[in-house]
Amino acid sequence: MPGPTLVWLRQDLRLADQPALHAAVERGGAVIPVFIHAPDEDLQWAPGAASNWWLHHSLQSLNEALNKAGSPLVVRAGPSLDTLRELVVETGAEAVYWNRVYEPARVLRDQGIKAGLRADGLEVRSFNAALLIEPWDVETGQGGPYRVFTPFWRACLQRGIEQDPLPAPSRLPGPEKPPASLTLDDLALLPRIDWAAGLRATWAPGERGAQARLERFLGQSITGYADSRDRPDQDGTSGLSPHLHFGEVSPRQVLRALRDANISLEHKGPESFVRELGWRDFAHHVLYHFPHTPEQPLNPRFEDFPWRESEADLAAWQQGRTGIPIVDAAMRQLWETGWMHNRLRMVVGSFLTKNLRLHWVHGARWFWDTLVDADLASNTLGWQWAGGCGADAAPYFRIFNPQRQGEQYDPDGRFVRRFLPVLKKTETRYIHAPGAGGTLGYPAPIVDLKASRQAALEAFEAIKNTSTSQTKSSSKAQT
Ligand code: FAD
């Protein structure tokens, strides 16, 4: 009988379609699932408060499932390599398996850990559990990474994105003597002052919650997704992003669920939904090949962009006090629920980086702390898109008019009224511009939309002709 296998869990908090766990069971011997809390290893991007809330509950749910299957979760805190080595000594493990992650700091860490454990004589294997296409699976005709989504996605589709998900193990052979474990409370992931009521009311972290959300989406919204996905006043998108981020469901399982429900990927709704999963893979592709992008623009021209600094404006944006109802309602949705509709992420991103002309990294950092789906790949891509400086980004000179966005995508003001009760009784024709309608009590906009748009265009003119030929890049071996 082979010695035990440690399965190091990170962003793959599920039992079904879990390649590392599956391979450990196939190998034979005891299977010991391990979670190591090591936020320092994420350098400047340690998980924020909303992510930690989710992680606590996701681990709780995973632990229940693992317990039932026969091998409870071992929770430790400390440097990952040292902790894995300690566990190897304590358990006599002969192998360590994990599913890959793609954040630059974690890629480097995992490369070092793989080399270190192999040098110790252990069998080490890593797997893809998170993506349809891993960052190194496709390349341009010239042999480099993609920076534009459409050819990237075409290459993915040509390669083939569907793969059978793995079944959940019916039983996990646990070790004779389970190693000591911290409790989840020891990790202190939950907020000390409880601000999470809105999160609790909105989400059910864990594999079961993910499956329930997927089923609901396939039953109710997928057919009309192509049209309703832009409407924050409707429940038109899947809400799967935090579940996908924490690996409570895999994109392979999502594709399989579409097939099982006889939903043709040729139809407009499902086709555009699967394309969004493609954007998620694209975000990982870009982050992996351009690891400097969480802090620096992909388009180097923007290194000299004349961003403004204003703590007061940033605070007004963060707290939903800009005087622009659709922006304020969106920022309050984020604060209350830990999530924001994609259309509104674009609107508030444009408002911050163009009307307020504040650096997109300020926006990325606020989202990082407040989103339950905060994801370094998708958040970086989204913010560089909003700031006009990233891969396949909105050109900087295309500036959303938030008032018009509100009128177009929240035409009856239902969304605004939900998150800004102070405007509940405002007539619909004034709901997106209460200043203009003379609504008493609502603050005036902190910037003039027209003048700030013009100022942004002039700032862009100043950097427009800077050379763009030098883009930093680096490719890494897989971990
Ligand atoms: P659906 O419309 O149901 O889409 C299905 C899945 O596809 C999503 O769950 C998500 O995993 C993926 N997806 C959809 N749109 C995108 C996209 N534009 N880029 C990458 N993946 C996408 N998404 C995150 O998961 N984490 C983030 O931190 C994040 N930050 C963002 C910041 C900005 C400024 C912008 C503009 C977008 C950001 N997004 C981020 C992308 C997108 O807004 C969310 O993925 C989406 O709103 C999640 O809702 P949903 O699950 O209902 O999406």
Side-chain angles (χ1 to χ4, degrees):
M1 174 75 94
T5 306
L6 300 180
V7 177
W8 180 24
L9 298 161
R10 296 98 64 85
Q11 278 164 247
D12 46 359
L13 307 181
R14 63 178 183 271
L15 264 62
D17 196 31
Q18 226 300 3
L21 198 64
H22 188 84
V25 173
E26 296 242 294
R27 183 175 169 272
V31 175
I32 306 172
V34 182
F35 179 82
I36 302 171
H37 186 53
D40 294 350
E41 292 172 1
D42 292 310
L43 306 178
Q44 299 96 323
W45 294 93
S51 294
N52 279 334
W53 175 87
W54 189 288
L55 179 63
H56 177 99
H57 293 289
S58 189
L59 288 172
Q60 198 168 38
S61 151
L62 180 74
N63 190 28
E64 281 163 22
L66 286 168
N67 251 319
K68 239 190 233 163
S71 190
L73 183 66
V74 177
V75 177
R76 293 282 170 103
S80 298
L81 178 57
D82 296 349
T83 309
L84 287 168
R85 281 184 165 146
E86 281 161 22
L87 280 164
V88 165
V89 172
E90 287 172 38
T91 61
E94 291 171 356
V96 183
Y97 291 178
W98 64 74
N99 296 308
R100 287 186 280 276
V101 290
Y102 307 89
E103 294 82 355
R106 293 183 184 182
V107 169
L108 285 176
R109 176 197 65 186
D110 291 358
Q111 283 171 343
I113 291 179
K114 196 177 243 181
L117 294 177
R118 281 193 175 149
D120 296 347
L122 291 153
E123 183 203 337
V124 185
R125 293 176 66 194
S126 68
F127 304 83
N128 169 24
L131 300 175
L132 297 170
I133 298 283
E134 290 191 285
W136 47 84
D137 283 341
V138 287
E139 56 181 24
T140 64
Q142 291 75 43
Y146 286 94
R147 285 170 213 210
V148 180
F149 174 73
T150 304
F152 165 83
W153 189 228
R154 203 180 304 124
C156 294
L157 292 174
Q158 261 162 20
R159 193 177 189 279
I161 54 167
E162 287 192 64
Q163 214 188 327
D164 285 339
L166 298 161
S170 51
R171 217 192 122 261
L172 286 175
E176 260 171 49
K177 188 171 162 281
S181 173
L182 296 173
T183 66
L184 286 178
D185 287 339
D186 292 333
L187 303 185
L189 296 167
L190 294 178
R192 258 181 279 158
I193 298 165
D194 182 15
W195 45 257
L199 273 57
R200 281 194 295 274
T202 314
W203 302 104
E207 193 168 9
R208 286 221 324 256
Q211 287 302 328
R213 205 168 257 279
L214 176 59
E215 274 166 36
R216 201 184 72 181
F217 175 65
L218 296 188
Q220 289 175 7
S221 314
I222 184 119
T223 326
Y225 176 82
D227 300 317
S228 60
R229 63 181 288 264
D230 267 324
R231 294 285 299 267
D233 58 338
Q234 297 175 6
D235 194 10
T237 69
S238 70
L240 281 172
S241 49
H243 298 289
L244 283 162
H245 170 77
F246 285 93
E248 297 165 357
V249 64
S250 75
R252 285 193 294 241
Q253 287 175 291
V254 174
L255 289 192
R256 168 50 68 89
L258 288 164
R259 288 256 179 251
D260 289 350
N262 282 326
I263 296 170
S264 163
L265 302 192
E266 315 287 304
H267 289 152
K268 212 169 130 205
E271 194 268 335
S272 71
F273 174 68
V274 173
R275 191 157 6 92
E276 293 310 315
L277 294 176
W279 273 98
R280 180 174 175 272
D281 276 16
F282 181 58
H284 285 79
H285 181 87
V286 174
L287 178 64
Y288 180 82
H289 290 290
F290 303 101
H292 61 285
T293 51
E295 269 106 31
Q296 292 168 43
L298 181 69
N299 180 346
R301 201 190 252 167
F302 278 81
E303 278 164 16
D304 297 324
F305 189 80
W307 300 108
R308 288 173 62 242
E309 281 297 334
S310 165
E311 280 184 24
D313 285 355
L314 181 61
W317 177 83
Q318 290 170 335
Q319 293 161 16
R321 293 187 288 101
T322 68
I324 309 286
I326 193 74
V327 173
D328 295 346
M331 297 308 290
R332 286 167 196 224
Q333 177 181 40
L334 174 60
W335 186 250
E336 277 176 47
T337 70
W339 184 88
M340 190 194 291
H341 190 279
N342 181 61
R343 166 64 42 186
L344 301 179
R345 295 188 202 207
M346 297 195 289
V347 170
V348 304
S350 170
F351 185 78
L352 184 83
T353 57
K354 294 170 181 175
N355 297 102
L356 297 180
R357 218 163 11 98
L358 299 179
H359 202 298
W360 55 270
V361 171
H362 291 311
R365 291 254 173 230
W366 183 250
F367 271 31
W368 189 252
D369 203 34
T370 50
L371 278 172
V372 287
D373 67 19
D375 180 279
L376 198 58
S378 299
N379 200 41
T380 301
L381 187 84
W383 275 101
Q384 292 227 12
W385 185 94
C389 54
D392 214 348
Y396 188 83
F397 55 81
R398 257 189 51 203
I399 300 176
F400 282 139
N401 177 322
Q403 185 179 331
R404 272 200 224 113
Q405 290 281 314
E407 286 159 4
Q408 189 171 352
Y409 296 110
D410 181 30
D412 307 322
R414 265 184 38 211
F415 177 82
V416 162
R417 285 194 188 87
R418 179 173 161 210
F419 287 99
L420 295 177
V422 63
L423 294 179
K424 219 170 197 146
K425 297 207 171 103
T426 302
E427 275 183 66
T428 297
R429 61 190 167 133
Y430 297 134
I431 192 89
H432 290 294
T439 307
L440 290 177
Y442 200 74
I446 58 170
V447 278
D448 178 82
L449 291 180
K450 216 165 145 199
S452 58
R453 178 178 190 279
Q454 192 51 37
L457 291 174
E458 281 162 21
F460 179 62
E461 277 300 310
I463 59 149
K464 207 168 116 190
N465 299 320
T466 320
S467 160
T468 55
S469 58
Q470 305 225 318
T471 304
K472 291 174 204 159
S473 150
S474 108
S475 289
K476 300 236 166 67
Q478 66 188 57
T479 56

